[in-house]
Amino acid sequence: MMHGPEKSDLAIVATKPANKAAPAAAERVEQRAGTEGNAEQSRTQRTQRRASVSPGLDRVRDAARQRTKEKFTALLHHVTVDLLRDAFLALRRRAAPGVDGVTWQDYEAGLEGNLQELHARVHRGTYRALPVRRKFIPKPGTNQQRPLGIAALEDKIVQRAVVTVLNAIYEEDFLGFSYGFRPGQGQHDALDALSVAISETRVNWILDADIRSFFDGLSQDWLVRFLEHRIGDERIVRLVRKWLKAGVLEDGEWGVSETGTPQGAVISPLLANVYLHYVFDLWALQWRRREATGNVIFVRYADDIVAGFEHEADARRFWDAMRARLEHFGLALHKEKTRLLEFGRHAAARRWRHGLGKPETFNFLGFMFICGKSRRGAFLLHRKTRGDRMRARLREIKVWLRLHMHDAIADQGRWLRAVVRGFFAYHAVPTNSRALGAFRYHVTKLWHRALRRRSQKDGMTWDRMAKIAAEWLPSPRVLHPWPNQRFAVKHPR
């Protein structure tokens, strides 16, 4: 339960203290998992996946934990042929090719020779990063499009290997309330931490912060300076510079930007975490210690930030300070999407006394957070699937059914079952049962409509459709534990 597929068993438990001493702090220090990867030394620590962990990276991790100001001047030798092979095997087999046109299967045909030659180029300094091929994908629930960068296959391999090496350092540096794209951490870990913090600590105000165009707006110069705080190996820094300066190929035209990282690149999430670690995390921790007069909690998943406050005055002062802090490093808060709202276990009663309506809601990682009540009338934080996300998924299903209208019912059923299971795997949390049932009902309705259009003499009644849905579509049921239960397992007091 601690890790998803391809994660190593827990090897080391972090010994540094929680970021704030509170019994149920949202950002208590997590247990650290052994970073995956291989170095030239012998392999040790066999795991359930029969993967192996490099003792060299273990020593890097120990040094990073014990000497927080240490600058690592020799890291590239950890990028071995074995590590490059592991990186290649971890890539998606069916991923779209980059500008080089090389697919996973093409590279696998001469894998050992290709890896040996790539390893030699990386260590000689003759490796050259290729431009990222840019395509646009629709943003869920909106009419806007999001740029996505597709890197060349060898760039993906080298980036994944370098990320494995750098994770050995930065997983000891990153703070407990940072959850995005980290080994052993996931979206539900962030959701649990936020839910526990709101339910069990003194949180009366929520600052829902949105950074405008973060991946496109971060300063590359600042990013390199932040990396150089810990990375003294110029060869690693040079590789990062190559990826940042490789440019973007869009509609046959090549361009280079002085800001941002290509979204979709393997290394982009780590670089984003490093940037926000110095720009936001360390600064927010100091602000809480020095400026806050009441309880303050933070949860950050990549560039999605939620801050909770006991006092409104603290929240407004932090908002102003955060705006100035981000602007200093080339970032800006989205004026329309960043807002402060009264929220928490006492919000409904306070708003009722002042003649106001129900507490506002806010969204985080695909869920709407609602101030609700239990059957006994006590405060209960409700999480509900965002309506726009559900509608976007249903539109995709409708398009697929129209394209595969005349497929066999069994073929349609297998695909729809996988889709519904995938939706439930993420959204089947306590207090969200009604949304799960609604999703399954609408999927059944769309399927029924598609089957009826297959013939003018259709005899597909709703009773028959209900039997087909019962055979193929899973029933809605809660799959995730209550947030405080899972949070207590991962962060025992």
Side-chain angles (χ1 to χ4, degrees), residues 1 61 65 91 95 114 123 154 193 211 222 233 264 310 337 361 371 373 408 421 490:
M1 185 177 74
R61 189 179 301 110
R65 184 188 314 112
L91 297 177
N114 291 333
H123 285 264
E154 285 195 337
I211 301 177
W222 275 113
D233 191 334
E310 181 180 1
K337 295 182 180 180
T361 63
C371 289
K373 292 184 178 181
R421 279 181 176 173
K490 290 196 172 186

Side-chain angles (χ1 to χ4, degrees), residues 5 63 90 115 119 124 137 192 252 295 299-300 307 314 322 345-346 420 457:
L115 292 178
H119 176 264
R124 286 198 310 263
I137 59 175
D192 289 347
N295 183 55
V299 175
R300 180 176 69 79
D314 281 348
M322 179 181 177
R345 58 189 312 109
H346 304 298
V420 174
K457 298 181 180 180

Side-chain angles (χ1 to χ4, degrees), residues 44-220:
T44 59
Q45 300 180 16
R46 303 295 285 183
T47 66
Q48 293 176 352
R49 291 186 59 250
R50 297 192 64 79
S52 41
V53 179
S54 162
L57 289 182
D58 282 342
R59 288 193 290 272
V60 171
R61 189 179 301 110
D62 291 341
R65 184 188 314 112
Q66 296 167 10
R67 300 187 291 275
T68 58
K69 303 298 183 181
E70 181 83 9
K71 219 175 185 183
F72 292 84
T73 58
L75 291 172
L76 190 63
H77 68 279
H78 292 291
V79 179
T80 63
V81 174
D82 285 341
L83 185 55
L84 293 174
R85 185 186 301 107
D86 290 344
F88 170 77
L89 295 175
L91 297 177
R92 291 175 51 199
R93 272 64 166 169
R94 299 181 180 179
V99 296
D100 58 351
V102 178
T103 65
W104 192 93
Q105 290 74 17
D106 295 336
Y107 205 81
E108 185 191 26
L111 180 60
E112 292 307 317
N114 291 333
L115 292 178
Q116 291 285 351
E117 197 267 339
L118 175 60
H119 176 264
R121 282 189 282 123
V122 169
H123 285 264
R124 286 198 310 263
T126 57
Y127 159 79
R128 294 291 179 266
L130 294 178
V132 172
R133 182 167 66 88
R134 173 171 287 178
K135 63 179 294 186
F136 291 88
I137 59 175
K139 296 180 69 173
T142 69
N143 295 324
Q144 301 176 349
Q145 289 189 319
R146 171 180 297 163
L148 179 66
I150 303 175
L153 186 70
E154 285 195 337
D155 291 338
K156 293 179 183 178
I157 296 172
V158 180
Q159 287 182 21
R160 185 175 288 275
V162 171
V163 165
T164 300
V165 174
L166 295 183
N167 272 340
I169 300 170
Y170 285 110
E171 278 303 300
E172 303 302 327
D173 288 356
F174 290 155
L175 302 186
F177 57 77
S178 169
Y179 288 90
F181 307 108
R182 294 176 55 189
Q185 299 291 354
Q187 291 172 303
H188 279 281
D189 295 302
L191 289 165
D192 289 347
L194 181 58
S195 300
V196 170
I198 293 174
S199 301
E200 300 185 8
T201 66
R202 300 184 303 277
V203 172
N204 300 317
W205 295 85
I206 290 291
L207 178 61
D208 182 14
D210 184 271
I211 301 177
R212 183 191 296 272
S213 302
F214 169 71
F215 284 93
D216 294 329
L218 64 84
S219 167
Q220 295 178 2

Side-chain angles (χ1 to χ4, degrees), residues 76 84-85 123 129 151 233 283 312 325 429 439-440 460:
L76 190 63
L84 293 174
R85 185 186 301 107
H123 285 264
D233 191 334
W283 168 82
E312 181 182 5
R325 174 73 177 181
V429 301
F439 181 76
R440 186 183 185 276
M460 182 62 66

Side-chain angles (χ1 to χ4, degrees), residues 276-422:
L276 286 176
H277 173 71
Y278 288 100
V279 171
F280 177 79
D281 295 356
L282 295 177
W283 168 82
L285 187 64
Q286 290 298 320
W287 189 94
R288 181 174 63 185
R289 289 172 176 170
R290 298 174 179 177
E291 304 291 336
T293 59
N295 183 55
V296 180
I297 61 98
F298 304 107
V299 175
R300 180 176 69 79
Y301 191 92
D303 59 332
D304 291 335
I305 301 172
V306 175
F309 302 87
E310 181 180 1
H311 303 306
E312 181 182 5
D314 281 348
R316 296 196 177 278
R317 286 190 294 110
F318 180 83
W319 190 355
D320 292 337
M322 179 181 177
R323 185 188 300 112
R325 174 73 177 181
L326 294 179
E327 289 175 354
H328 180 71
F329 292 97
L331 301 174
L333 289 174
H334 198 295
K335 294 183 179 180
E336 289 75 25
K337 295 182 180 180
T338 300
R339 60 199 182 103
L340 180 66
L341 58 146
E342 193 171 9
F343 197 93
R345 58 189 312 109
H346 304 298
R350 285 197 306 269
R351 292 178 67 84
W352 181 81
R353 287 197 300 269
H354 291 88
L356 303 174
K358 294 181 179 180
E360 295 181 74
T361 63
F362 70 94
N363 297 324
F364 185 60
L365 299 181
F367 288 94
M368 178 187 297
F369 282 67
I370 306 168
C371 289
K373 292 184 178 181
S374 67
R375 293 179 179 178
R376 297 181 178 180
F379 172 79
L380 179 63
L381 180 66
H382 286 196
R383 294 179 296 175
K384 178 183 176 182
T385 299
R386 288 178 53 175
D388 56 345
R389 297 290 178 88
M390 184 186 296
R391 289 190 293 271
R393 195 71 181 108
L394 291 172
R395 283 194 294 268
E396 295 173 3
I397 294 172
K398 181 179 180 180
V399 171
W400 188 93
L401 285 171
R402 184 165 296 178
L403 293 175
H404 297 81
M405 182 186 304
H406 296 287
D407 289 2
I409 290 179
D411 294 336
Q412 294 177 345
R414 277 189 286 269
W415 186 84
L416 289 172
R417 178 167 57 193
V419 171
V420 174
R421 279 181 176 173

